Amino acid sequence: MKTSNLQALIFDVDGTLAETERDGHRIAFNTAFADFGLTWHWDVGLYGKLLSITGGKERIRHFVAHDLPPSEHPKSLDSLVVALHAAKTAHYLRLLENGKIALRPGIARLLNEARAAGLRLAIATTTTPENVSALLSLYLGQESLGWFEAIGAGDIVPHKKPAPDIYEWVLKTLNLPAEACLAFEDSANGLRSARAAGIPTWVTTNAYTAHEDFSGALSVTHTLENVRLDDLLKMFSNI
Ligand code: XBP
Ligand code: MG
């Protein structure tokens, strides 16, 4: 058997490190809409469809363009989107602080196993940077921010997933080739992004993404709860 040349693990956040969407981001968007006197409401089903658009600001714009009749399109959409999204982020951070969002099973253990084995760690996500640092420091301690050598998040790159930009930014920051890394993703958009950057990708699904097409993934599991670092190293050494 070949020895593994795996050097870094790169994690998506939403849906991968934590189940953030249905009871986190979705609620925060709806609360922000209400703050602004809008009657918009994203129920669980509609939100599932809107998840095909990555990025909160992009998702609001898509909703306005595709789900509202032109007569209901707000004036000054650009400034409204910025203000709505800022309010949404504040609500999301409050939900997080109130314990409404937790790390998925196995994540803390896997991160600790990786650190003990000397693997490097990074984040590649579409979400706003504050959302990432709040999640990590709440569940893994403030010092955990230093465990990640690259935290690629939000508007740091021009094109969000499924474009490869955020993973390419992380690879450049780590100064590693794609083949030396393993990405963890929960969605087809995330998988496409990581694969477009050439990175082998492990998919861990959730209720919103379980039906998606994960062709090209190294492995697809419902959870990382029972996945040990040794399993990853073995799988990786065989590709
Ligand atoms: C996650 C997202 C994010 C969140 C909202 O995609 O699309 O936009 O839903 O975050 P991925 P913001 O897991 O593929 O990175 O509102 O902060 O953009
Ligand atoms: Mg995700």
Side-chain angles (χ1 to χ4, degrees), residues 1-4 230 233-235 237-238:
M1 195 177 73
K2 279 195 303 177
T3 46
S4 176
D230 283 350
L233 294 174
K234 259 185 229 139
M235 175 86 64
S237 66
N238 287 324

Side-chain angles (χ1 to χ4, degrees), residues 57-131:
K57 294 186 286 294
E58 293 80 355
R59 192 168 295 144
I60 297 170
R61 284 180 178 286
H62 178 93
F63 168 76
V64 170
H66 295 89
D67 294 282
L68 293 181
S71 60
E72 290 179 30
H73 287 195
K75 290 188 201 80
S76 318
L77 182 63
D78 288 352
S79 53
L80 179 65
V81 167
V82 170
L84 274 174
H85 193 256
K88 176 261 166 179
T89 298
H91 287 303
Y92 178 82
L93 292 172
R94 209 163 305 127
L95 289 167
L96 197 54
E97 278 159 24
N98 291 341
K100 303 290 184 205
I101 297 152
L103 291 184
R104 291 189 70 180
I107 291 295
R109 174 195 44 78
L110 195 53
L111 289 172
N112 283 318
E113 285 178 0
R115 292 183 68 231
L119 288 175
R120 299 166 70 188
L121 297 175
I123 297 279
T125 178
T126 291
T127 205
T128 301
E130 295 92 298
N131 300 347

Side-chain angles (χ1 to χ4, degrees), residues 26-38:
R26 186 182 69 88
I27 305 295
F29 281 114
N30 285 333
T31 313
F33 298 155
D35 288 347
F36 282 73
L38 297 163

Side-chain angles (χ1 to χ4, degrees), residues 2 4-8 10 171 176-183 194-195 197-200 236-237 239:
K2 279 195 303 177
S4 176
N5 58 355
L6 180 62
Q7 295 188 51
I10 309 173
L171 289 176
L176 282 177
E179 318 78 67
C181 302
L182 177 60
R195 294 299 298 134
I199 304 172
F236 199 83
S237 66
I239 58 174

Side-chain angles (χ1 to χ4, degrees), residues 4 14 23-24 36 70 72 76 78 85 93 97 105 122 132 135 148 169 172 197 202 211 219 224 232 239:
S4 176
D14 295 299
D23 301 327
F36 282 73
E72 290 179 30
S76 318
D78 288 352
H85 193 256
L93 292 172
E97 278 159 24
V132 184
L135 177 78
F148 297 87
W169 183 92
K172 198 160 175 243
W202 189 294
H211 65 281
S219 181
L224 292 173
L232 298 177
I239 58 174

Side-chain angles (χ1 to χ4, degrees), residues 196-217:
I199 304 172
T201 306
W202 189 294
V203 172
T204 171
T205 62
N206 56 56
Y208 268 135
T209 65
H211 65 281
E212 293 182 347
D213 177 5
F214 294 119
S215 320

